[in-house]
Amino acid sequence: MMHYLKRRLFIFLLSVFIIATFIAAILYQPLVAPLPRSQYHADPQRLEKDVRYFSETLYPRSADQREHLEAAAHYIKQVFEQHGAQVAEQAVPADNGPFRNIIARYGPQQGPVIIIGAHYDSVAHDDGDMMHYTPGADDNASGVAGLLELARLLQHARLNTGVELVAYASEEPPFFRSDEMGSAVHASALQRPVTLMIALEMIGYYNSRPDSQRYPFSALSALYPDRGDFIAVVGRLSDISAARKVKAALSGTEALPVYSINAPQWLPGIDFSDHMNYWRQGISAVMVTDTAFYRNTEYHQPGDTADRLDYRKMAKVIEGIFVLLANDKDK
């Protein structure tokens, strides 16, 4: 009897271990081989210049600041054109609008396409008496500056797959989760098959202090660091292959640790950006992020300023995205 009980206990513990390992592998995506780095490098100084332009010169960029949003769109379009893209505008009907998405196309103009997107608006809070604004340096001038730097790199690339860089006009409230989001308009109007969409959502804030990184559930701290000095790739359970692909491209340098998570959409934060609108169209999509409010205490606050960002780490993120696009073999 004792031998039988020991055997049952062993089988039970082994089963628990296997299940836990399987769940961890789904969430964590271990053992991803990095792609080789590129000879072309993103420029931290240009990234900072662009972040400061959006978050300081064009402060604020919320929905009630039409003039600043128009200036941001004009600047984005100008940079795209300067770096060899075929550029288009897309009207976004919305309150206080219409606003406009700015789209830069590279590579083959027919067949499959990869989409890299970031929103250029920032949030504002109305307490009933007055509006409170944020510079939106990390959220999301960092992502838009990344798009512009990616455009500068793509002019050197011979691409096998088409690429669209999309700067979205409206992501923040009052548009969030509505059909008035710029990404909702773009995703619903697509004419080409999309192999992958990547949302650049806050890629600039890093903190190496212990306990600077938080998670929606404390159990995740057993798998992920307590220091907020990494970039994260976030997707649904069905986006495992996409997350592995992006993680491999980002993981080519020791200067920027890369972690990934594939989890159910009910996990808080999994769908908190423009990628969710591509999921609704049946498109595989992930978010590349510094984890926003799980790390950045100035998220949606007046302290989200350009001086708090790490532009060298931002540059590594963009170099990784460029590596992915330059090495994609889909035709």
Side-chain angles (χ1 to χ4, degrees):
M1 176 64 70
M2 184 62 68
H3 177 73
Y4 173 77
L5 291 175
K6 287 182 177 179
R7 184 169 178 272
R8 291 290 300 271
L9 178 60
F10 173 77
I11 292 173
F12 172 75
L13 292 175
L14 180 61
S15 299
V16 170
F17 174 77
I18 291 173
I19 292 171
T21 301
F22 177 73
I23 293 173
I26 291 175
L27 290 173
Y28 190 75
Q29 294 296 304
L31 306 177
V32 173
L35 293 180
R37 305 311 293 173
S38 170
Q39 62 177 313
Y40 300 108
H41 300 288
D43 186 337
Q45 291 183 336
R46 279 198 303 248
L47 287 166
E48 180 173 4
K49 172 180 172 291
D50 286 340
V51 167
R52 289 192 180 278
Y53 178 72
F54 290 118
S55 64
E56 296 174 356
T57 305
L58 298 184
Y59 168 81
R61 307 182 315 282
S62 51
D64 62 328
Q65 302 294 316
R66 177 67 179 271
E67 182 178 351
H68 284 174
L69 286 176
E70 280 294 308
H74 176 77
Y75 180 79
I76 293 164
K77 181 180 180 182
Q78 185 178 51
V79 173
F80 282 162
E81 290 174 338
Q82 288 172 350
H83 294 91
Q86 294 189 17
V87 182
E89 298 183 18
Q90 182 179 51
V92 180
D95 287 345
N96 298 327
F99 302 111
R100 50 184 173 143
N101 293 335
I102 307 299
I103 305 168
R105 298 186 174 99
Y106 290 88
Q109 298 300 301
Q110 295 182 340
V113 64
I114 297 174
I115 297 167
I116 316 294
H119 68 90
Y120 62 87
D121 61 327
S122 63
V123 74
H125 305 284
D126 185 356
D127 66 5
D129 295 321
M130 64 180 297
M131 296 293 291
H132 300 274
Y133 297 103
T134 171
D138 195 26
D139 186 17
N140 190 30
S142 65
V144 180
L147 277 187
L148 300 183
E149 188 64 12
L150 192 55
R152 297 178 178 111
L153 295 176
L154 284 172
Q155 65 184 328
H156 302 294
R158 298 182 62 182
L159 301 171
N160 294 313
T161 304
V163 172
E164 285 193 7
L165 307 181
V166 189
Y168 306 116
S170 48
E171 190 264 3
E172 299 288 3
F175 309 117
F176 190 63
R177 296 197 185 283
S178 79
D179 292 338
E180 294 182 334
M181 290 179 71
S183 54
V185 172
H186 183 258
S188 64
L190 286 165
Q191 300 296 314
R192 299 170 65 179
V194 180
T195 60
L196 174 64
M197 185 273 169
I198 301 172
L200 301 180
E201 179 62 64
M202 303 181 66
I203 61 171
Y205 181 74
Y206 302 88
N207 191 329
S208 60
R209 293 196 305 271
D211 299 321
S212 57
Q213 182 67 49
R214 298 174 299 280
Y215 299 99
F217 299 108
S218 58
L220 292 174
S221 61
L223 291 173
Y224 298 96
D226 71 337
R227 300 171 187 262
D229 60 357
F230 61 89
I231 196 72
V233 183
V234 177
R236 302 166 297 178
L237 292 172
S238 58
D239 294 315
I240 290 177
S241 61
R244 290 180 65 87
K245 183 175 183 178
V246 176
K247 185 175 183 179
L250 294 174
S251 297
T253 173
E254 294 181 359
L256 181 69
V258 183
Y259 290 86
S260 59
I261 184 169
N262 289 89
Q265 286 182 242
W266 50 256
L267 187 72
I270 290 292
D271 66 348
F272 281 13
S273 190
D274 294 294
H275 57 302
M276 68 175 177
N277 288 312
Y278 296 86
W279 289 347
R280 293 170 179 171
Q281 301 297 326
I283 294 168
S284 183
V286 299
M287 172 174 58
V288 173
T289 179
D290 60 23
T291 75
F293 51 86
Y294 290 117
R295 175 187 307 175
N296 191 341
T297 57
E298 293 299 322
Y299 171 80
H300 281 189
Q301 299 300 318
D304 183 12
T305 54
D307 57 292
R308 300 176 72 248
L309 306 190
D310 187 325
Y311 297 97
R312 293 188 180 278
K313 282 188 168 61
M314 280 179 61
K316 297 303 179 185
V317 173
I318 298 309
E319 288 173 13
I321 300 296
F322 175 70
V323 165
L324 183 150
L325 299 176
N327 286 276
D328 192 81
K329 302 301 181 185
D330 291 330
K331 296 184 179 180

